[in-house]
Amino acid sequence: MTVYLPHTIEEATALLEAHPHALVLGGGTDVMVEINFNHRKPSDVVALRNVDELRTWTINNETSSIYIGAGVPYSEMESGELQKVAPALAAAARTVGSPQIRAAGTLGGNLGTCSPAGDSLPVLSALNAEVHLASSHGVRSVPFAEYMVGPKRTSRTATEMITGVTIPKANGWQGYSKVGVRNAMVISVASACLAIQDDMVRLALGSVGPTIIRCVEAEKWLHENFATLTDLQPADCAEFGRRAASEARPIDDHRSTAEYRRHAISVLAQRLLQRSIQS
Amino acid sequence: MSNNEFYSLTVNGVQHPVQDAWVGESLLYVLRERLGLPGAKGACEQGECGSCTVFVNGSAVCSCLVMAATVVDTEIATVEGLSSDGTLTDVQQAFIDEGAVQCGFCTPGLVMAVHHLLDQNAQPSEHEIKEALSGNICRCTGYGRIFEAVNTAISRRQENAR
Ligand SMILES: Cc1cc2nc3c(=O)[nH]c(=O)nc-3n(C[C@H](O)[C@H](O)[C@H](O)COP(=O)(O)OP(=O)(O)OC[C@H]3O[C@@H](n4cnc5c(N)ncnc54)[C@H](O)[C@@H]3O)c2cc1C
Ligand code: FES
Ligand code: FES
C-alpha cells in the first residue's frame, strides 16, 4: 500500500487515473473507522490533506452563489461568514459529531460516503446544489439529485474526485433539524432541511429513504394553495408536515423504526415551516 | 509525493522517524506503539470518546482518525508537549485542584480539549464549555468536577492577566 499526498487537483486526478482502485482520503473520519476495524484494507491511498485549493470557499455576488471546496471542514461552515450566506448548512454542520469530528470531517467526505444520514446532504438537496467532479479527462457538474443514486451509492466514477459544490446564496429563511437519541455525537434518525429560495419553499429529508428525499408533492401543495406564506395557519403547517411524512420512505433498522421516523418527519417539517413564518 | 515504509513525524517540535510501519496505521497507534508517546489514550478508535485528542496544525482532532503517514510536514502536538520542563500547565493544575481526575483515562484528551478551547476563547460561557467538551467522554466524574476545573483555570488566567 502506498500513500500519495498530491498538492493539486491535477496531481490528485492523475493519481486516480493511474490507480483506479485507490482510496480517496479526506478528513478520514469515515475511512479511518473502517481501517481501524479492518473493514477496509485499501490498496493505495490518495490523501487530499495537502490540496489547498480544496479547502477554499468563495462567495460570488454576481451569480449570487457560493462555491465550497470538498476539503472544507464542518468547523468552518458552522459559524462566521459562511453561516451568514448558508445558514442551513451551518445548522447542519453544528449537529455533526463533536468538535473534534467537525474539525476533521469535510463536505467532500460526507458526499463521498453519501449515507442517507449524512447531515449536509438534505441541505444540498433542498438548495439544488451542483456537485463538481474532476478526473484527468476534465470536469463535470451534476445536480445533487443525480449525484446520489442510492444508499452510499453515487454517480461518481472511480477515477473522479469531488472538488466542491455550488449552492445559491440564501435569499429567504432556511433551517435544518435533526432527531437523534441524544444531543451530542449522534447519527440522525430523521432529519429535514427547509429552505425558502426565490420565494419557493423547498423541503428535503434525511435518514428516511434510500436517498435524500425531496418532498416535491408537499412543496407543490404549498405553492398552489398559498399565495404568501403569511397566509398559513397552524393547521396548514400541520398538514404540510403530514404531507411531507407521506413522502418519506423510512425503514426499520438498528437506529429506529419506520413508524417513529415517519412521525418525526411530520413534526420536523411542521416546525420548520412554522419557524420560517415566524422569522 | 508518495511515501511508504519510512516517513517521519514532527511531534511537539521534535522529528521522529517511523520505520517498518504499515502506512495505514492511525496517528494514535504510531504515537503510542512506535514513538513511545502514550499520553494520547485509545479507547474506541472510532472518534467517539476523545481520549486520543491531539493537535494537528493547531486543530484538536481525534488521533485515531488521522492516518499517520499523511501528517508528515505537519505540526503535531500531544499532551506530553504541553509543558517542557516537567511542570504542569494551568489547566492540568486546575484538574488536580478540583478533583477532576478519577481513573484518569479521559484526562489527557480533556486537557487538550480545554487548552484548545481557552486558546480560542478566553471567556467561554457555560454552554460553550459543554459544547467544546462534548467530544470527550468521562465515565467516572460525571463532568461536574471537570467543569469546575475549567472555570478555575479561566479565573486564574484572568487574575494573572490583571
Ligand atoms: C464519531 C463520529 C461521529 C460522526 N457524526 C456524524 C454526524 O453527526 N453526521 C454526519 O453526517 N456524519 C457523521 N460522521 C461521519 C463523518 O464524519 C462524515 O461523513 C464526514 O463528512 C466525512 O468526511 P471526511 O472528510 O472525514 O471523509 P473521509 O473519511 O476522508 O472519506 C469518506 C468517504 O468519502 C470519500 N471522499 C472523501 N473526500 C473525497 C473527495 N474529495 N472526492 C471523492 N471522494 C472523497 C472517501 O473515499 C470515503 O469513501 C461521524 C463520524 C464519526 C467518526
Ligand atoms: S480512541 Fe479516538 S476517539 Fe476514542
Ligand atoms: S476520570 Fe475516569 S474516565 Fe474520566
Side-chain angles (χ1 to χ4, degrees):
Chain A
M1 172 173 146
T2 303
V3 176
Y4 296 97
L5 283 164
H7 284 90
T8 63
I9 291 172
E10 213 183 326
E11 283 175 9
T13 52
L15 284 163
L16 289 178
E17 189 71 26
H19 310 277
H21 298 292
L23 175 69
V24 178
L25 182 67
T29 60
D30 278 319
V31 163
M32 284 306 288
V33 176
E34 294 179 339
I35 291 179
N36 289 346
F37 288 86
N38 271 325
H39 293 156
R40 201 200 282 247
K41 201 129 196 181
S43 51
D44 292 304
V45 170
V46 176
L48 303 179
R49 163 177 292 280
N50 295 345
V51 185
D52 289 340
E53 49 193 314
L54 292 176
R55 299 180 84 95
T56 61
W57 51 268
T58 49
I59 300 169
N60 185 332
N61 284 320
E62 238 154 72
T63 54
S64 217
S65 64
I66 313 162
Y67 173 84
I68 306 176
V72 172
Y74 295 107
S75 54
E76 230 169 288
M77 297 177 238
E78 62 184 288
S79 58
E81 202 56 33
L82 266 181
Q83 180 194 8
K84 286 185 207 144
V85 289
L89 190 63
R94 280 195 296 274
T95 74
V96 173
S98 66
Q100 288 92 327
I101 300 298
R102 297 198 289 277
T106 65
L107 192 59
N110 216 217
L111 276 166
T113 298
C114 224
S115 154
D119 281 308
S120 72
L121 307 183
V123 181
L124 299 182
S125 168
L127 296 177
N128 293 335
E130 290 276 317
V131 179
H132 307 298
L133 301 165
S135 72
S136 57
H137 303 290
V139 293
R140 65 182 179 118
S141 299
V142 287
F144 177 78
E146 288 166 33
Y147 171 79
M148 184 176 194
V149 296
K152 301 198 174 180
R153 285 182 38 231
T154 76
S155 55
R156 179 179 80 88
T157 65
T159 56
E160 281 179 319
M161 62 179 281
I162 306 155
T163 54
V165 303
T166 300
I167 54 174
K169 241 172 98 174
N171 62 14
W173 189 88
Q174 41 179 258
Y176 178 78
S177 286
K178 161 176 171 181
V179 172
V181 288
R182 63 190 197 111
N183 257 338
M185 195 75 86
V186 78
I187 301 290
S188 96
V189 153
S191 68
C193 174
L194 185 146
I196 302 176
Q197 196 67 27
D198 306 326
D199 294 323
M200 299 277 281
V201 172
R202 299 158 173 189
L203 182 71
L205 311 178
S207 292
V208 289
T211 62
I212 303 303
I213 292 175
R214 261 299 276 280
C215 297
V216 279
E217 297 300 326
E219 290 176 12
K220 202 165 134 220
W221 173 80
L222 261 189
H223 187 61
E224 287 175 353
N225 289 283
F226 302 91
T228 65
L229 291 180
T230 40
D231 294 343
L232 285 170
Q233 300 301 311
D236 302 323
C237 295
E239 177 59 21
F240 178 72
R242 275 191 292 278
R243 284 173 183 263
S246 72
E247 287 179 74
R249 289 154 60 202
I251 55 166
D252 290 343
D253 68 10
H254 60 290
R255 274 194 223 113
S256 188
T257 63
E259 193 191 352
Y260 177 75
R261 286 187 155 112
R262 204 182 284 285
H263 171 70
I265 288 299
S266 75
V267 176
L268 291 180
Q270 174 186 359
R271 269 191 208 155
L272 284 167
L273 186 61
Q274 250 155 7
R275 277 187 213 156
S276 77
I277 304 165
Q278 283 156 6
S279 64
Chain B
M1 197 155 81
S2 77
N3 47 63
N4 267 307
E5 312 303 296
F6 178 88
Y7 58 94
S8 67
L9 296 180
T10 309
V11 187
N12 303 325
V14 179
Q15 265 215 324
H16 295 266
V18 181
Q19 261 157 323
D20 300 323
W22 178 58
V23 283
E25 286 168 1
S26 73
L27 178 59
L28 173 67
Y29 185 86
V30 170
L31 288 171
R32 292 178 58 83
E33 308 298 333
R34 305 211 179 268
L35 304 186
L37 291 167
K41 301 284 176 265
C44 69
E45 292 183 50
Q46 49 182 308
E48 301 271 349
C49 75
S51 62
C52 65
T53 302
V54 301
F55 302 159
V56 174
N57 270 348
S59 292
V61 297
C62 299
S63 58
C64 68
L65 300 182
V66 175
M67 191 180 280
T70 69
V71 284
V72 292
D73 307 322
T74 302
E75 290 295 323
I76 300 158
T78 69
V79 71
E80 286 96 341
L82 281 179
S83 71
S84 51
D85 47 5
T87 57
L88 297 175
T89 68
D90 54 352
V91 172
Q92 288 169 322
Q93 189 61 50
F95 266 63
I96 294 171
D97 295 344
E98 296 299 341
V101 182
Q102 285 187 32
C103 80
F105 197 88
C106 67
T107 311
L110 271 160
V111 165
M112 294 302 278
V114 174
H115 270 289
H116 189 258
L117 166 68
L118 299 187
D119 286 348
Q120 317 275 311
N121 181 354
Q123 278 176 298
S125 66
E126 188 189 337
H127 180 79
E128 285 169 334
I129 296 170
K130 287 187 173 166
E131 179 56 45
L133 304 188
S134 63
N136 293 77
I137 291 176
C138 173
R139 301 202 305 175
C140 303
T141 64
Y143 303 99
R145 301 283 179 120
I146 291 167
F147 297 137
E148 283 311 308
V150 179
N151 287 322
T152 299
I154 292 169
S155 47
R156 284 184 188 160
R157 278 191 191 192
Q158 276 163 359
E159 275 163 34
N160 288 341
R162 261 189 221 132

